[in-house]
Amino acid sequence: MSKPVLYTFGLSVWSAAPELAIAELGYPEDAIETKIVNLVEGENFMPEFLKINPHATLPTLVADGKAYTNTKDVVRYLVEHAPKQGVARGTHFIDKVHEDSLDPNAPLLLVRNEEELRASASGFAFTFVQNRQNSLEKHSVLPEAAPFKSFYDEKKEANGNILAIYKGEVTEEKKEAFFKDSTEHWNNLVSFILNDLPATLPESGFLGGANPGEDDFHLGAWLVRIAHLSGAKADKDGIKALEKETKKPIPPKVVAYWAAWIERPSFKRVYVNGLH
């Protein structure tokens, strides 16, 4: 039987969840084959990848003749088939972390004011969105892309709308609406950090107990991305970078949770090249 294949990318927030799981669950280094799908270049929009995952998202896992095409299912498979058993199983909290209102990918592209717009329009966000649009346009016209026409059409429109904002090609009304939506999303993230997490996290350790459990693989990846976007470093005080968004001290339970993660060999392995 062929080994499982994990499609991943080093800058992907949700790819970090199965990578943390693999490191924590005792998988030998050669147990799972890894294939890189460069999201910055839009390789996830190639028809050959859409045949594996029609959502064009990472992580994706192919194992036992089946494709697992969302983070929850990928991590669940890894937990169920892990060499190390006894890890705390996931709860409804995983669904909470993956709600659209808490999407950790969105803040990479969102802008709340003119200053943030200028920064995004002249930085990585613009390059990322432009590359995505180029890839969508290039691959959508290929003969093998025909079965995915509706997907391409939807993605080209949505991504193109953000690109138009960066290029200053939209009305003032549309730009202000984007500012408003961006502000609302960040407010959701801040509320989750200040209110939901302290009500959910233990005083020390992890949701799964003394060691990370299934819930933690998701929350750990989520928290690192949000902290990273605020300038956090991989040290015990890194989480405090979020205070520029929260405008209040980070709750002690969240600080303790961050501190517990950054000491783990799994964390150091997954984020060896920096937080993302």
Side-chain angles (χ1 to χ4, degrees):
M1 182 180 296
S2 59
K3 67 177 65 174
V5 178
L6 177 66
Y7 294 84
T8 183
F9 183 57
L11 298 180
S12 164
V13 51
W14 287 127
S15 288
E19 289 170 356
L20 288 169
I22 289 168
E24 286 285 345
L25 295 172
Y27 280 93
E29 286 194 14
D30 63 346
I32 298 173
E33 181 182 355
T34 298
K35 291 188 177 182
I36 304 300
V37 179
N38 191 325
L39 298 181
V40 178
E41 297 298 328
E43 291 180 356
N44 52 315
F45 298 131
M46 299 171 66
E48 49 264 48
F49 184 68
L50 289 180
K51 291 176 183 178
I52 300 170
N53 183 347
H55 308 295
T57 56
L58 295 179
T60 295
L61 180 73
V62 176
D64 304 328
K66 179 180 177 180
Y68 299 84
T69 59
N70 64 68
T71 310
K72 182 177 179 179
D73 290 346
V74 170
V75 173
R76 174 59 54 86
Y77 177 94
L78 293 170
V79 170
E80 291 179 344
H81 295 80
K84 177 182 176 182
Q85 290 296 310
V87 173
R89 289 300 186 91
T91 68
H92 67 279
F93 184 75
I94 293 173
D95 294 324
K96 177 66 177 178
V97 174
H98 285 276
E99 288 181 359
D100 288 344
S101 63
L102 298 176
D103 179 11
N105 280 308
L108 183 67
L109 306 180
L110 297 178
V111 294
R112 293 167 285 186
N113 49 53
E114 293 288 351
E115 182 181 0
E116 290 185 359
L117 176 56
R118 286 192 296 271
S120 291
S122 61
F124 174 78
F126 178 85
T127 300
F128 180 66
V129 175
Q130 182 67 72
N131 286 353
R132 282 168 60 90
Q133 197 70 14
N134 292 345
S135 179
L136 286 163
E137 297 288 354
K138 173 184 175 181
H139 293 109
S140 63
V141 298
L142 298 175
E144 56 267 37
F148 309 106
K149 184 181 185 304
S150 60
F151 169 86
Y152 282 114
D153 289 345
E154 179 182 330
K155 286 294 182 182
K156 283 191 290 185
E157 180 180 4
N159 191 76
N161 287 340
I162 296 176
L163 187 60
I165 292 171
Y166 288 172
K167 289 182 173 182
E169 298 174 347
V170 299
T171 64
E172 190 70 17
E173 182 180 11
K174 286 187 176 180
K175 183 179 68 174
E176 290 296 329
F178 191 67
F179 287 172
K180 181 180 178 181
D181 290 343
S182 299
T183 299
E184 181 179 348
H185 193 85
W186 267 108
N187 288 343
N188 291 338
L189 301 178
V190 167
S191 178
F192 184 70
I193 292 166
L194 292 180
N195 302 310
D196 295 66
L197 286 185
T200 305
L201 291 171
E203 294 292 339
S204 62
F206 299 90
L207 293 168
N211 297 312
E214 189 173 349
D215 288 352
D216 295 294
F217 303 140
H218 296 265
L219 178 58
W222 184 93
L223 189 60
V224 168
R225 165 54 64 85
I226 303 305
H228 166 64
L229 292 174
S230 299
K233 305 297 182 184
D235 56 44
K236 66 182 180 65
D237 293 323
I239 191 66
K240 294 182 180 179
L242 271 170
E243 290 176 358
K244 76 176 187 179
E245 294 294 344
T246 62
K247 312 301 182 187
K248 297 179 180 180
I250 302 301
K253 285 184 178 181
V254 180
V255 173
Y257 186 74
W258 176 270
W261 259 122
I262 65 170
E263 295 300 323
R264 304 289 295 185
S266 60
F267 187 98
K268 296 175 181 179
R269 172 176 161 184
V270 172
Y271 297 106
V272 63
N273 293 318
L275 304 183
H276 58 264

